[in-house]
Amino acid sequence: MNLTGKIAILTGVSKGIGRATAEALLAKGAIVAGWGRSAPEGLQHERFQFFECDVRDEVAVQEAYVNTRRELGAEIHVLVNNAGLGISGEVDGFSSDDWKLMFDTNVHGMFFCTKAVLPQMKQQQEGHIINISSIAGTTGIEKMAGYCATKFAVRGFSQSLYKEVRNDGIKVTCFYPGSTQTNFFDDIPGTEANDSMMRPEDIADTIIYALETPFNFHLVDIEMRPCSRKNK
């Protein structure tokens, strides 16, 4: 897909991978609708517009979708489901509220946003949905059972969806990033973001690569990991 002039919806736009992806899309000429609870600081661009939206709320998602089409245009070409969070803890002491919060954000939010854009993408017979899972969506991690459960759900949803919509000209790609320098680790005891991790820009650049694939194929699953655990 040539991204010039294409409308892209991006959730979780304020920081990290979301912010980097917004900047990468803008650099390719896309029109970006950033959805989130807070706007990215300092991101000013004539082709960027922020829409306040809590993806956990289906009504808020529908309102953001209607507002996006009214302000930017009816056709929606790209959806990047990036909004998410991780909370660690042992299962027998884990907060049920935190468990629900992760599922509401990481899984239900992805579903609400995808459900909103699909009718238009099917009508135009073109679209690309990017879902951000995690390495935690491919393997279990001690004290991260809840987060892993949500990211396994993203994986299953993505792999099912691409088979469902591939004949409608819609691509679905699921990303599984490993350790990345974002604020994700702020709430994970014992781990801090460091220079041996991937950068948000690395993920963003690969998202662009996936979006720019020719019409006749798409990348279904992309796993990304740091090259080395040690700085050189």
Side-chain angles (χ1 to χ4, degrees):
M1 180 190 299
N2 181 344
L3 293 169
T4 301
K6 297 296 172 64
I7 298 173
I9 294 172
L10 171 61
T11 71
V13 70
S14 63
K15 299 177 181 178
I17 293 171
R19 170 67 180 260
T21 302
E23 293 175 347
L25 285 165
L26 291 168
K28 286 291 183 175
I31 301 165
V32 180
W35 291 9
R37 291 182 296 165
S38 58
E41 293 184 8
L43 181 54
Q44 302 290 330
H45 196 285
E46 62 182 1
R47 284 184 277 103
F48 175 80
Q49 189 163 340
F50 176 73
F51 297 85
E52 186 173 350
C53 176
D54 185 342
V55 298
R56 299 172 296 178
D57 181 347
E58 187 170 12
V59 173
V61 168
Q62 288 293 335
E63 290 178 351
Y65 179 66
V66 170
N67 292 337
T68 296
R69 296 182 72 201
R70 183 185 67 243
E71 297 292 328
L72 302 181
E75 291 194 348
I76 303 298
H77 305 94
V78 174
L79 169 65
V80 181
N81 282 309
N82 169 69
L85 78 160
I87 303 171
S88 65
E90 296 180 351
V91 172
D92 57 356
F94 202 78
S95 162
S96 296
D97 287 341
D98 286 345
W99 180 276
K100 292 175 182 176
L101 175 62
M102 283 194 291
F103 270 89
D104 284 342
T105 307
N106 301 359
V107 183
H108 302 154
M110 172 189 61
F111 166 67
F112 296 151
C113 294
T114 302
K115 182 181 177 183
V117 305
L118 276 178
Q120 178 59 39
M121 286 186 174
K122 286 182 177 180
Q123 180 179 327
Q124 65 202 32
Q125 289 288 289
E126 181 185 27
H128 200 146
I129 296 170
I130 302 284
N131 294 327
I132 306 299
S133 179
S134 167
I135 288 298
T138 67
T139 186
I141 301 172
E142 184 180 7
K143 298 183 180 180
M144 294 291 287
Y147 181 68
C148 289
T150 67
K151 292 305 186 178
F152 266 81
V154 173
R155 179 185 185 186
F157 178 83
S158 301
Q159 293 184 355
S160 299
L161 180 64
Y162 102 77
K163 296 176 181 178
E164 186 174 318
V165 300
R166 63 195 304 184
N167 291 328
D168 295 300
I170 303 170
K171 301 180 180 183
V172 181
T173 303
C174 192
F175 275 72
Y176 308 90
S179 300
T180 308
Q181 298 173 38
T182 69
N183 62 313
F184 174 84
F185 294 101
D186 293 351
D187 298 319
I188 307 297
T191 305
E192 295 181 356
N194 60 73
D195 290 341
S196 67
M197 296 179 175
M198 293 182 293
R199 303 167 303 151
E201 293 79 9
D202 299 327
I203 315 303
D205 289 345
T206 310
I207 289 173
I208 297 298
Y209 177 81
L211 290 173
E212 290 185 328
T213 51
F215 73 94
N216 61 315
F217 79 93
H218 80 285
L219 301 168
V220 178
D221 291 298
I222 299 179
E223 181 175 321
M224 300 179 66
R225 293 178 182 259
C227 190
S228 173
R229 289 186 177 274
K230 297 179 179 180
N231 292 322
K232 293 185 179 179

Short mmCIF file of all heavy atoms in Angstrom, two decimals, residues 74-141:
data_model
loop_
_atom_site.label_atom_id
_atom_site.label_comp_id
_atom_site.label_asym_id
_atom_site.label_seq_id
_atom_site.Cartn_x
_atom_site.Cartn_y
_atom_site.Cartn_z
N ALA A 74 -14.00 9.67 4.78
CA ALA A 74 -14.81 8.48 5.01
C ALA A 74 -14.02 7.18 4.95
O ALA A 74 -14.31 6.23 5.68
CB ALA A 74 -15.96 8.43 4.00
N GLU A 75 -13.00 7.14 4.08
CA GLU A 75 -12.26 5.88 3.92
C GLU A 75 -11.22 5.72 5.02
O GLU A 75 -10.50 6.67 5.35
CB GLU A 75 -11.59 5.84 2.55
CG GLU A 75 -12.58 5.72 1.40
CD GLU A 75 -11.91 5.34 0.10
OE1 GLU A 75 -10.66 5.38 0.02
OE2 GLU A 75 -12.64 4.99 -0.85
N ILE A 76 -11.16 4.52 5.58
CA ILE A 76 -10.17 4.18 6.60
C ILE A 76 -9.31 3.07 6.04
O ILE A 76 -9.79 1.98 5.74
CB ILE A 76 -10.84 3.73 7.92
CG1 ILE A 76 -11.79 4.81 8.45
CG2 ILE A 76 -9.76 3.36 8.95
CD1 ILE A 76 -11.13 6.13 8.81
N HIS A 77 -8.01 3.33 5.90
CA HIS A 77 -7.13 2.37 5.23
C HIS A 77 -6.29 1.54 6.19
O HIS A 77 -5.90 0.42 5.86
CB HIS A 77 -6.20 3.12 4.27
CG HIS A 77 -6.93 3.97 3.29
ND1 HIS A 77 -7.18 5.31 3.50
CD2 HIS A 77 -7.51 3.66 2.10
CE1 HIS A 77 -7.86 5.80 2.47
NE2 HIS A 77 -8.07 4.83 1.61
N VAL A 78 -5.99 2.10 7.35
CA VAL A 78 -5.10 1.42 8.31
C VAL A 78 -5.66 1.57 9.71
O VAL A 78 -6.13 2.63 10.10
CB VAL A 78 -3.67 2.03 8.27
CG1 VAL A 78 -2.79 1.42 9.36
CG2 VAL A 78 -3.04 1.84 6.89
N LEU A 79 -5.60 0.48 10.47
CA LEU A 79 -5.86 0.51 11.91
C LEU A 79 -4.69 -0.16 12.60
O LEU A 79 -4.36 -1.31 12.28
CB LEU A 79 -7.15 -0.23 12.26
CG LEU A 79 -7.39 -0.49 13.75
CD1 LEU A 79 -7.58 0.80 14.54
CD2 LEU A 79 -8.58 -1.43 13.97
N VAL A 80 -4.07 0.55 13.53
CA VAL A 80 -3.01 -0.04 14.35
C VAL A 80 -3.52 -0.13 15.78
O VAL A 80 -3.68 0.88 16.47
CB VAL A 80 -1.71 0.80 14.31
CG1 VAL A 80 -0.62 0.13 15.16
CG2 VAL A 80 -1.22 0.98 12.88
N ASN A 81 -3.83 -1.35 16.22
CA ASN A 81 -4.29 -1.59 17.58
C ASN A 81 -3.08 -1.73 18.49
O ASN A 81 -2.54 -2.82 18.70
CB ASN A 81 -5.14 -2.87 17.63
CG ASN A 81 -6.54 -2.67 17.10
OD1 ASN A 81 -7.25 -1.75 17.51
ND2 ASN A 81 -6.95 -3.52 16.17
N ASN A 82 -2.65 -0.60 19.02
CA ASN A 82 -1.44 -0.56 19.82
C ASN A 82 -1.71 -0.38 21.32
O ASN A 82 -0.89 -0.76 22.15
CB ASN A 82 -0.54 0.57 19.33
CG ASN A 82 0.61 0.85 20.26
OD1 ASN A 82 1.54 0.05 20.40
ND2 ASN A 82 0.57 2.00 20.94
N ALA A 83 -2.85 0.20 21.69
CA ALA A 83 -3.13 0.48 23.10
C ALA A 83 -3.06 -0.80 23.93
O ALA A 83 -3.62 -1.82 23.57
CB ALA A 83 -4.51 1.12 23.24
N GLY A 84 -2.34 -0.72 25.04
CA GLY A 84 -2.22 -1.89 25.90
C GLY A 84 -1.43 -1.59 27.15
O GLY A 84 -0.76 -0.55 27.24
N LEU A 85 -1.53 -2.49 28.12
CA LEU A 85 -0.75 -2.34 29.34
C LEU A 85 -0.46 -3.71 29.93
O LEU A 85 -1.13 -4.69 29.62
CB LEU A 85 -1.49 -1.47 30.37
CG LEU A 85 -2.64 -2.11 31.17
CD1 LEU A 85 -2.91 -1.32 32.42
CD2 LEU A 85 -3.89 -2.20 30.32
N GLY A 86 0.56 -3.75 30.81
CA GLY A 86 0.92 -4.99 31.47
C GLY A 86 1.08 -4.78 32.96
O GLY A 86 1.67 -3.79 33.39
N ILE A 87 0.55 -5.70 33.74
CA ILE A 87 0.66 -5.66 35.20
C ILE A 87 1.14 -7.03 35.65
O ILE A 87 0.61 -8.05 35.23
CB ILE A 87 -0.70 -5.33 35.85
CG1 ILE A 87 -1.24 -3.99 35.32
CG2 ILE A 87 -0.56 -5.27 37.37
CD1 ILE A 87 -2.67 -3.69 35.73
N SER A 88 2.17 -7.05 36.48
CA SER A 88 2.76 -8.32 36.91
C SER A 88 2.23 -8.74 38.28
O SER A 88 1.74 -7.91 39.05
CB SER A 88 4.28 -8.22 36.95
OG SER A 88 4.68 -7.30 37.95
N GLY A 89 2.37 -10.02 38.57
CA GLY A 89 1.98 -10.53 39.89
C GLY A 89 1.65 -12.00 39.82
O GLY A 89 1.30 -12.54 38.76
N GLU A 90 1.80 -12.67 40.96
CA GLU A 90 1.47 -14.10 41.03
C GLU A 90 -0.04 -14.29 40.99
O GLU A 90 -0.81 -13.46 41.51
CB GLU A 90 2.05 -14.70 42.30
CG GLU A 90 3.57 -14.66 42.34
CD GLU A 90 4.15 -15.27 43.62
OE1 GLU A 90 3.35 -15.56 44.54
OE2 GLU A 90 5.37 -15.46 43.67
N VAL A 91 -0.47 -15.37 40.38
CA VAL A 91 -1.88 -15.59 40.13
C VAL A 91 -2.70 -15.59 41.42
O VAL A 91 -3.77 -14.97 41.49
CB VAL A 91 -2.11 -16.90 39.35
CG1 VAL A 91 -3.60 -17.24 39.26
CG2 VAL A 91 -1.51 -16.79 37.94
N ASP A 92 -2.21 -16.25 42.46
CA ASP A 92 -3.04 -16.39 43.66
C ASP A 92 -3.14 -15.11 44.48
O ASP A 92 -3.97 -15.03 45.40
CB ASP A 92 -2.55 -17.55 44.55
CG ASP A 92 -1.10 -17.41 44.97
OD1 ASP A 92 -0.43 -16.45 44.53
OD2 ASP A 92 -0.63 -18.26 45.76
N GLY A 93 -2.35 -14.10 44.13
CA GLY A 93 -2.47 -12.83 44.83
C GLY A 93 -2.83 -11.69 43.90
O GLY A 93 -2.78 -10.52 44.28
N PHE A 94 -3.21 -12.05 42.67
CA PHE A 94 -3.42 -11.02 41.65
C PHE A 94 -4.77 -10.34 41.82
O PHE A 94 -5.78 -10.99 42.12
CB PHE A 94 -3.33 -11.64 40.26
CG PHE A 94 -3.01 -10.66 39.16
CD1 PHE A 94 -1.71 -10.22 38.98
CD2 PHE A 94 -4.00 -10.18 38.33
CE1 PHE A 94 -1.40 -9.31 37.98
CE2 PHE A 94 -3.71 -9.28 37.32
CZ PHE A 94 -2.40 -8.84 37.14
N SER A 95 -4.79 -9.04 41.61
CA SER A 95 -6.03 -8.27 41.71
C SER A 95 -6.96 -8.60 40.56
O SER A 95 -6.58 -8.51 39.39
CB SER A 95 -5.70 -6.77 41.70
OG SER A 95 -6.85 -6.01 41.40
N SER A 96 -8.19 -8.94 40.89
CA SER A 96 -9.19 -9.22 39.84
C SER A 96 -9.47 -7.97 39.02
O SER A 96 -9.72 -8.05 37.81
CB SER A 96 -10.48 -9.74 40.47
OG SER A 96 -10.26 -10.98 41.11
N ASP A 97 -9.41 -6.80 39.66
CA ASP A 97 -9.62 -5.55 38.92
C ASP A 97 -8.51 -5.32 37.90
O ASP A 97 -8.78 -4.88 36.78
CB ASP A 97 -9.69 -4.36 39.90
CG ASP A 97 -10.99 -4.33 40.68
OD1 ASP A 97 -11.97 -4.98 40.26
OD2 ASP A 97 -11.02 -3.67 41.74
N ASP A 98 -7.26 -5.63 38.28
CA ASP A 98 -6.15 -5.48 37.34
C ASP A 98 -6.27 -6.48 36.19
O ASP A 98 -5.95 -6.16 35.03
CB ASP A 98 -4.81 -5.67 38.06
CG ASP A 98 -4.44 -4.47 38.92
OD1 ASP A 98 -5.05 -3.40 38.75
OD2 ASP A 98 -3.54 -4.62 39.77
N TRP A 99 -6.72 -7.68 36.51
CA TRP A 99 -6.93 -8.70 35.48
C TRP A 99 -7.95 -8.19 34.44
O TRP A 99 -7.72 -8.24 33.23
CB TRP A 99 -7.42 -9.99 36.12
CG TRP A 99 -7.66 -11.12 35.17
CD1 TRP A 99 -8.79 -11.34 34.42
CD2 TRP A 99 -6.77 -12.19 34.87
NE1 TRP A 99 -8.65 -12.48 33.68
CE2 TRP A 99 -7.43 -13.03 33.94
CE3 TRP A 99 -5.49 -12.54 35.31
CZ2 TRP A 99 -6.84 -14.18 33.42
CZ3 TRP A 99 -4.91 -13.70 34.80
CH2 TRP A 99 -5.57 -14.49 33.86
N LYS A 100 -9.07 -7.67 34.94
CA LYS A 100 -10.11 -7.16 34.04
C LYS A 100 -9.63 -5.95 33.26
O LYS A 100 -9.96 -5.79 32.08
CB LYS A 100 -11.36 -6.81 34.85
CG LYS A 100 -12.06 -8.03 35.46
CD LYS A 100 -13.22 -7.61 36.35
CE LYS A 100 -13.87 -8.83 36.99
NZ LYS A 100 -14.95 -8.44 37.94
N LEU A 101 -8.83 -5.09 33.91
CA LEU A 101 -8.30 -3.91 33.23
C LEU A 101 -7.46 -4.29 32.03
O LEU A 101 -7.58 -3.69 30.95
CB LEU A 101 -7.47 -3.07 34.22
CG LEU A 101 -6.75 -1.85 33.64
CD1 LEU A 101 -7.74 -0.84 33.07
CD2 LEU A 101 -5.87 -1.20 34.71
N MET A 102 -6.60 -5.30 32.19
CA MET A 102 -5.76 -5.73 31.07
C MET A 102 -6.60 -6.30 29.94
O MET A 102 -6.36 -6.01 28.76
CB MET A 102 -4.71 -6.74 31.55
CG MET A 102 -3.55 -6.11 32.28
SD MET A 102 -2.14 -7.23 32.49
CE MET A 102 -2.82 -8.41 33.65
N PHE A 103 -7.58 -7.13 30.26
CA PHE A 103 -8.43 -7.69 29.21
C PHE A 103 -9.27 -6.62 28.54
O PHE A 103 -9.45 -6.63 27.32
CB PHE A 103 -9.30 -8.83 29.76
CG PHE A 103 -8.64 -10.17 29.66
CD1 PHE A 103 -7.84 -10.64 30.69
CD2 PHE A 103 -8.79 -10.96 28.53
CE1 PHE A 103 -7.22 -11.88 30.59
CE2 PHE A 103 -8.17 -12.19 28.42
CZ PHE A 103 -7.38 -12.65 29.46
N ASP A 104 -9.79 -5.68 29.33
CA ASP A 104 -10.60 -4.61 28.75
C ASP A 104 -9.79 -3.77 27.76
O ASP A 104 -10.30 -3.36 26.72
CB ASP A 104 -11.14 -3.70 29.85
CG ASP A 104 -12.32 -4.31 30.60
OD1 ASP A 104 -12.92 -5.28 30.07
OD2 ASP A 104 -12.63 -3.84 31.70
N THR A 105 -8.53 -3.53 28.09
CA THR A 105 -7.67 -2.70 27.23
C THR A 105 -7.07 -3.50 26.09
O THR A 105 -7.20 -3.14 24.91
CB THR A 105 -6.54 -2.07 28.06
OG1 THR A 105 -7.09 -1.38 29.19
CG2 THR A 105 -5.74 -1.09 27.23
N ASN A 106 -6.39 -4.57 26.42
CA ASN A 106 -5.59 -5.31 25.44
C ASN A 106 -6.42 -6.14 24.47
O ASN A 106 -6.02 -6.35 23.32
CB ASN A 106 -4.60 -6.24 26.15
CG ASN A 106 -3.64 -5.50 27.06
OD1 ASN A 106 -3.67 -4.29 27.18
ND2 ASN A 106 -2.79 -6.25 27.76
N VAL A 107 -7.56 -6.63 24.93
CA VAL A 107 -8.37 -7.55 24.11
C VAL A 107 -9.68 -6.90 23.67
O VAL A 107 -9.95 -6.80 22.48
CB VAL A 107 -8.65 -8.86 24.87
CG1 VAL A 107 -9.43 -9.84 23.98
CG2 VAL A 107 -7.35 -9.50 25.33
N HIS A 108 -10.48 -6.45 24.62
CA HIS A 108 -11.78 -5.89 24.26
C HIS A 108 -11.61 -4.61 23.44
O HIS A 108 -12.36 -4.38 22.48
CB HIS A 108 -12.61 -5.63 25.52
CG HIS A 108 -12.83 -6.85 26.35
ND1 HIS A 108 -13.07 -6.82 27.70
CD2 HIS A 108 -12.83 -8.18 26.01
CE1 HIS A 108 -13.20 -8.05 28.17
NE2 HIS A 108 -13.06 -8.88 27.16
N GLY A 109 -10.63 -3.78 23.81
CA GLY A 109 -10.39 -2.56 23.06
C GLY A 109 -10.02 -2.85 21.61
O GLY A 109 -10.48 -2.17 20.68
N MET A 110 -9.16 -3.85 21.41
CA MET A 110 -8.78 -4.26 20.06
C MET A 110 -10.01 -4.71 19.27
O MET A 110 -10.19 -4.33 18.09
CB MET A 110 -7.77 -5.40 20.15
CG MET A 110 -7.42 -6.04 18.82
SD MET A 110 -6.43 -7.55 19.01
CE MET A 110 -7.55 -8.59 19.96
N PHE A 111 -10.87 -5.48 19.91
CA PHE A 111 -12.09 -5.95 19.26
C PHE A 111 -13.01 -4.79 18.89
O PHE A 111 -13.52 -4.72 17.76
CB PHE A 111 -12.81 -6.94 20.18
CG PHE A 111 -14.23 -7.23 19.76
CD1 PHE A 111 -14.50 -7.92 18.59
CD2 PHE A 111 -15.30 -6.81 20.54
CE1 PHE A 111 -15.82 -8.19 18.20
CE2 PHE A 111 -16.60 -7.07 20.17
CZ PHE A 111 -16.87 -7.76 19.00
N PHE A 112 -13.23 -3.86 19.82
CA PHE A 112 -14.13 -2.74 19.56
C PHE A 112 -13.64 -1.91 18.37
O PHE A 112 -14.43 -1.51 17.51
CB PHE A 112 -14.25 -1.83 20.79
CG PHE A 112 -14.88 -2.48 21.99
CD1 PHE A 112 -14.54 -2.06 23.27
CD2 PHE A 112 -15.80 -3.51 21.86
CE1 PHE A 112 -15.11 -2.64 24.39
CE2 PHE A 112 -16.38 -4.10 22.98
CZ PHE A 112 -16.02 -3.66 24.24
N CYS A 113 -12.34 -1.63 18.34
CA CYS A 113 -11.78 -0.81 17.26
C CYS A 113 -11.84 -1.53 15.92
O CYS A 113 -12.18 -0.93 14.89
CB CYS A 113 -10.34 -0.41 17.59
SG CYS A 113 -10.17 0.69 19.02
N THR A 114 -11.52 -2.82 15.94
CA THR A 114 -11.56 -3.61 14.70
C THR A 114 -12.98 -3.71 14.17
O THR A 114 -13.23 -3.53 12.96
CB THR A 114 -10.98 -5.01 14.96
OG1 THR A 114 -9.64 -4.89 15.45
CG2 THR A 114 -10.98 -5.84 13.69
N LYS A 115 -13.91 -3.98 15.05
CA LYS A 115 -15.32 -4.08 14.66
C LYS A 115 -15.81 -2.78 14.03
O LYS A 115 -16.59 -2.79 13.08
CB LYS A 115 -16.15 -4.42 15.89
CG LYS A 115 -17.63 -4.61 15.63
CD LYS A 115 -18.35 -4.92 16.93
CE LYS A 115 -19.86 -5.05 16.71
NZ LYS A 115 -20.57 -5.30 18.00
N ALA A 116 -15.32 -1.65 14.54
CA ALA A 116 -15.75 -0.34 14.02
C ALA A 116 -15.29 -0.11 12.59
O ALA A 116 -16.05 0.41 11.76
CB ALA A 116 -15.21 0.77 14.93
N VAL A 117 -14.05 -0.49 12.26
CA VAL A 117 -13.50 -0.14 10.94
C VAL A 117 -13.81 -1.16 9.85
O VAL A 117 -13.75 -0.82 8.66
CB VAL A 117 -11.96 0.06 11.01
CG1 VAL A 117 -11.59 1.10 12.05
CG2 VAL A 117 -11.22 -1.26 11.24
N LEU A 118 -14.14 -2.38 10.22
CA LEU A 118 -14.28 -3.44 9.21
C LEU A 118 -15.34 -3.17 8.15
O LEU A 118 -15.08 -3.42 6.96
CB LEU A 118 -14.53 -4.79 9.89
CG LEU A 118 -13.29 -5.53 10.38
CD1 LEU A 118 -13.68 -6.82 11.06
CD2 LEU A 118 -12.33 -5.82 9.23
N PRO A 119 -16.53 -2.68 8.50
CA PRO A 119 -17.52 -2.47 7.43
C PRO A 119 -17.02 -1.54 6.33
O PRO A 119 -17.23 -1.81 5.13
CB PRO A 119 -18.71 -1.86 8.19
CG PRO A 119 -18.60 -2.41 9.57
CD PRO A 119 -17.12 -2.44 9.83
N GLN A 120 -16.34 -0.45 6.69
CA GLN A 120 -15.83 0.47 5.68
C GLN A 120 -14.70 -0.17 4.88
O GLN A 120 -14.63 -0.03 3.65
CB GLN A 120 -15.34 1.76 6.34
CG GLN A 120 -14.73 2.77 5.38
CD GLN A 120 -15.69 3.21 4.28
OE1 GLN A 120 -16.88 3.39 4.54
NE2 GLN A 120 -15.19 3.38 3.07
N MET A 121 -13.80 -0.89 5.55
CA MET A 121 -12.71 -1.56 4.84
C MET A 121 -13.26 -2.58 3.86
O MET A 121 -12.76 -2.72 2.73
CB MET A 121 -11.75 -2.21 5.83
CG MET A 121 -10.85 -1.24 6.58
SD MET A 121 -9.62 -2.10 7.60
CE MET A 121 -8.63 -0.72 8.19
N LYS A 122 -14.31 -3.31 4.25
CA LYS A 122 -14.92 -4.28 3.35
C LYS A 122 -15.57 -3.58 2.16
O LYS A 122 -15.47 -4.06 1.01
CB LYS A 122 -15.95 -5.12 4.10
CG LYS A 122 -15.36 -6.15 5.04
CD LYS A 122 -16.45 -6.98 5.71
CE LYS A 122 -15.85 -8.07 6.59
NZ LYS A 122 -16.89 -8.89 7.24
N GLN A 123 -16.22 -2.47 2.41
CA GLN A 123 -16.87 -1.73 1.33
C GLN A 123 -15.87 -1.24 0.30
O GLN A 123 -16.11 -1.33 -0.91
CB GLN A 123 -17.64 -0.55 1.91
CG GLN A 123 -18.37 0.28 0.86
CD GLN A 123 -19.13 1.45 1.47
OE1 GLN A 123 -19.64 1.36 2.58
NE2 GLN A 123 -19.20 2.55 0.74
N GLN A 124 -14.71 -0.75 0.79
CA GLN A 124 -13.71 -0.23 -0.15
C GLN A 124 -12.78 -1.31 -0.67
O GLN A 124 -11.96 -1.04 -1.56
CB GLN A 124 -12.91 0.91 0.51
CG GLN A 124 -12.07 0.49 1.69
CD GLN A 124 -11.71 1.62 2.64
OE1 GLN A 124 -12.46 2.56 2.81
NE2 GLN A 124 -10.55 1.50 3.29
N GLN A 125 -12.91 -2.53 -0.12
CA GLN A 125 -12.08 -3.67 -0.54
C GLN A 125 -10.60 -3.38 -0.40
O GLN A 125 -9.77 -3.79 -1.23
CB GLN A 125 -12.42 -4.08 -1.98
CG GLN A 125 -13.78 -4.73 -2.13
CD GLN A 125 -13.83 -6.14 -1.56
OE1 GLN A 125 -13.24 -7.07 -2.11
NE2 GLN A 125 -14.53 -6.31 -0.44
N GLU A 126 -10.27 -2.68 0.68
CA GLU A 126 -8.87 -2.36 0.96
C GLU A 126 -8.73 -1.98 2.43
O GLU A 126 -9.57 -1.27 2.98
CB GLU A 126 -8.39 -1.20 0.10
CG GLU A 126 -6.93 -0.84 0.34
CD GLU A 126 -6.49 0.41 -0.43
OE1 GLU A 126 -7.34 1.27 -0.72
OE2 GLU A 126 -5.29 0.52 -0.72
N GLY A 127 -7.67 -2.46 3.06
CA GLY A 127 -7.40 -2.08 4.43
C GLY A 127 -6.31 -2.96 5.02
O GLY A 127 -6.01 -4.03 4.50
N HIS A 128 -5.72 -2.48 6.08
CA HIS A 128 -4.68 -3.25 6.77
C HIS A 128 -4.82 -3.00 8.26
O HIS A 128 -4.80 -1.85 8.71
CB HIS A 128 -3.28 -2.84 6.29
CG HIS A 128 -2.23 -3.86 6.57
ND1 HIS A 128 -1.15 -4.09 5.73
CD2 HIS A 128 -2.08 -4.74 7.60
CE1 HIS A 128 -0.40 -5.07 6.25
NE2 HIS A 128 -0.94 -5.46 7.38
N ILE A 129 -4.97 -4.07 9.02
CA ILE A 129 -5.10 -4.00 10.47
C ILE A 129 -3.83 -4.58 11.08
O ILE A 129 -3.44 -5.71 10.78
CB ILE A 129 -6.34 -4.77 10.96
CG1 ILE A 129 -7.61 -4.11 10.40
CG2 ILE A 129 -6.38 -4.82 12.48
CD1 ILE A 129 -8.87 -4.92 10.62
N ILE A 130 -3.19 -3.78 11.91
CA ILE A 130 -1.98 -4.19 12.63
C ILE A 130 -2.35 -4.37 14.10
O ILE A 130 -2.85 -3.43 14.74
CB ILE A 130 -0.86 -3.13 12.52
CG1 ILE A 130 -0.51 -2.84 11.06
CG2 ILE A 130 0.36 -3.55 13.33
CD1 ILE A 130 0.31 -3.89 10.37
N ASN A 131 -2.12 -5.54 14.64
CA ASN A 131 -2.36 -5.80 16.06
C ASN A 131 -1.03 -6.01 16.78
O ASN A 131 -0.22 -6.83 16.34
CB ASN A 131 -3.26 -7.02 16.25
CG ASN A 131 -4.67 -6.79 15.72
OD1 ASN A 131 -5.18 -5.68 15.78
ND2 ASN A 131 -5.29 -7.84 15.21
N ILE A 132 -0.82 -5.26 17.85
CA ILE A 132 0.43 -5.39 18.59
C ILE A 132 0.24 -6.36 19.75
O ILE A 132 -0.42 -6.07 20.73
CB ILE A 132 0.91 -4.02 19.13
CG1 ILE A 132 1.00 -2.99 18.00
CG2 ILE A 132 2.26 -4.18 19.83
CD1 ILE A 132 1.97 -3.34 16.90
N SER A 133 0.80 -7.54 19.58
CA SER A 133 0.81 -8.53 20.66
C SER A 133 2.12 -8.36 21.42
O SER A 133 2.48 -7.25 21.80
CB SER A 133 0.65 -9.94 20.09
OG SER A 133 0.67 -10.92 21.11
N SER A 134 2.87 -9.42 21.62
CA SER A 134 4.11 -9.39 22.38
C SER A 134 4.74 -10.77 22.32
O SER A 134 4.06 -11.76 21.99
CB SER A 134 3.80 -9.02 23.84
OG SER A 134 4.91 -9.26 24.69
N ILE A 135 6.01 -10.83 22.65
CA ILE A 135 6.62 -12.15 22.87
C ILE A 135 5.80 -12.93 23.90
O ILE A 135 5.69 -14.15 23.86
CB ILE A 135 8.08 -12.00 23.34
CG1 ILE A 135 8.97 -11.52 22.18
CG2 ILE A 135 8.63 -13.30 23.90
CD1 ILE A 135 9.03 -12.48 21.01
N ALA A 136 5.16 -12.18 24.80
CA ALA A 136 4.29 -12.79 25.81
C ALA A 136 3.05 -13.42 25.20
O ALA A 136 2.31 -14.12 25.88
CB ALA A 136 3.88 -11.76 26.86
N GLY A 137 2.82 -13.19 23.92
CA GLY A 137 1.74 -13.86 23.21
C GLY A 137 2.16 -15.16 22.57
O GLY A 137 1.37 -15.81 21.89
N THR A 138 3.42 -15.55 22.79
CA THR A 138 3.93 -16.80 22.20
C THR A 138 4.43 -17.78 23.26
O THR A 138 4.63 -18.95 22.97
CB THR A 138 5.10 -16.51 21.23
OG1 THR A 138 6.23 -16.02 21.96
CG2 THR A 138 4.70 -15.49 20.19
N THR A 139 4.65 -17.30 24.47
CA THR A 139 5.19 -18.17 25.52
C THR A 139 4.78 -17.65 26.89
O THR A 139 4.58 -16.44 27.07
CB THR A 139 6.73 -18.24 25.43
OG1 THR A 139 7.21 -19.21 26.38
CG2 THR A 139 7.37 -16.89 25.73
N GLY A 140 4.65 -18.54 27.85
CA GLY A 140 4.31 -18.11 29.21
C GLY A 140 5.50 -17.47 29.91
O GLY A 140 6.66 -17.80 29.63
N ILE A 141 5.21 -16.51 30.80
CA ILE A 141 6.24 -15.81 31.55
C ILE A 141 5.83 -15.80 33.02
O ILE A 141 4.70 -15.43 33.35
CB ILE A 141 6.42 -14.36 31.05
CG1 ILE A 141 6.79 -14.36 29.56
CG2 ILE A 141 7.48 -13.63 31.87
CD1 ILE A 141 6.80 -12.98 28.94
#
